[in-house]
Amino acid sequence: MPLWPFDKKRIGLVLGGGVARGLAHIGVLKVIEQYKIPIDYVAAASSGSIVGAVFAAGMEVRLIEELALRISWGRILKVTFFRPGLMSGEAIEDLIIKYVGDKKFSELKIPFAVAATDLKTGEPVIINWGRVAKAVAASVAFPGLFAPEEVKQHTVVDGAISANLPVDLAKQMGANFIIASDVVPTCPVNYLPKDPFQVFGRSLDIILHKLSLEQRKQADILIEPKMDEDIWHFDLHKAKKLIAAGEAAAHQSLRKLQRSYH
């Protein structure tokens, strides 16, 4: 039984992008499971779509965590040739298929949708049909690193560019109570970036945070994992710390909500 009354709520879980920091969403899922909060919809963007897809497919959270602790860039990156990107999204598709199968959206246990970005117009493209693995690959197609994906009449890249925290998408799906996990840091970093990738990543974080302000305001519960150290976009090897940060932030937010009911 939930620790507070959710019986009249249709709960939407929103998982934002943040490259490696998207692993912090797993800690959020652990707490949601512990508090027995029933999730009715999942909306995600970028790296959040990977976690969201396996969760919506019904994978146990403990297995998602085990997978995250073993993951490496070598398993995700697949070099491509003669395409406008260094890497192909096929490795992302293969990863999703390996662990949950080549499912269609209609086969998922929880209604799920991802955001991608139309490369021509800059507008969000919502994907909630067809093959889940293909949709996830489209949502994580980080510009320049991953080649753009073709989704029907759209050429799309990373959903973070247009809708990094797609709260409005969860509402469109039918949710009337939103739990949003935003893994883009809002606090100043402790140290200046040390290489071009970190400089680019930090600059991107600043932009994404500003673009997500309105979406953040629409969340009923906003979970913001905080790290004791600066964790950069490509730090997959810090999965344990990221998951712990997500867990701590979720406990803090949900305890605050729980107290308001007593």
Side-chain angles (χ1 to χ4, degrees):
M1 176 178 289
L3 298 180
W4 52 79
F6 275 122
D7 56 317
K8 295 182 180 179
K9 302 294 185 183
R10 298 187 301 277
I11 304 172
L13 176 64
V14 178
L15 305 177
V19 197
R21 291 185 305 240
L23 295 175
H25 295 313
I26 299 170
V28 174
L29 293 179
K30 290 176 68 176
V31 176
I32 285 174
E33 183 179 70
Q34 180 181 335
Y35 282 54
K36 296 181 172 62
I37 300 174
I39 300 300
D40 298 294
Y41 308 95
V42 180
S46 197
S47 58
S49 68
I50 299 176
V51 177
V54 294
F55 177 67
M59 179 181 282
E60 294 181 34
V61 176
R62 65 177 183 82
L63 295 179
I64 300 175
E65 182 177 19
E66 289 176 13
L67 170 61
L69 294 175
R70 297 197 308 267
I71 203 166
S72 67
W73 284 111
R75 299 178 65 187
I76 294 176
L77 301 182
K78 187 173 184 180
V79 177
T80 184
F81 298 99
F82 311 115
R83 293 187 66 190
L86 297 175
M87 303 293 169
S88 166
E90 290 179 7
I92 298 292
E93 290 191 48
D94 292 344
L95 183 71
I96 298 296
I97 292 169
K98 178 178 180 179
Y99 291 100
V100 300
D102 195 6
K103 294 183 181 296
K104 294 182 179 179
F105 279 85
S106 58
E107 299 175 291
L108 297 177
K109 294 188 176 181
I110 303 174
F112 178 56
V114 303
T117 302
D118 189 305
L119 194 56
K120 288 183 179 180
T121 67
E123 294 297 316
V125 175
I126 306 308
I127 312 174
N128 58 1
W129 72 91
R131 296 175 54 241
V132 175
K134 176 71 173 177
V136 171
S139 188
V140 303
F142 195 81
L145 179 60
F146 287 99
E149 296 285 339
E150 299 297 326
V151 179
K152 293 205 171 181
Q153 290 80 32
H154 304 278
T155 300
V156 301
V157 292
D158 200 313
I161 305 303
S162 61
N164 192 54
L165 193 69
V167 170
D168 53 356
L169 173 56
K171 290 186 175 182
Q172 291 169 19
M173 295 171 73
N176 59 13
F177 190 94
I178 304 294
I179 300 173
S181 177
D182 186 359
V183 296
V184 173
T186 57
C187 299
V189 293
N190 298 309
Y191 306 100
L192 287 174
K194 298 177 181 179
D195 59 51
F197 293 106
Q198 290 183 357
V199 172
F200 174 76
R202 177 57 185 159
S203 302
L204 181 63
D205 284 345
I206 294 169
I207 294 169
L208 292 179
H209 174 64
K210 291 183 181 298
L211 290 175
S212 298
L213 288 176
E214 287 304 314
Q215 297 295 303
R216 287 164 56 89
K217 292 176 184 176
Q218 294 182 44
D220 296 284
I221 299 176
L222 180 63
I223 298 171
E224 302 178 83
K226 293 178 174 58
M227 296 33 164
D228 293 331
E229 62 182 89
D230 297 334
I231 297 182
W232 302 97
H233 291 69
F234 297 105
D235 289 351
L236 282 177
H237 61 286
K238 296 181 179 179
K240 194 169 184 178
K241 291 181 178 179
L242 285 161
I243 294 169
E247 198 168 352
H251 272 301
Q252 183 179 19
S253 296
L254 291 170
R255 282 171 183 160
K256 182 178 179 181
L257 177 68
Q258 186 182 7
R259 285 195 297 270
S260 71
Y261 279 90
H262 294 281

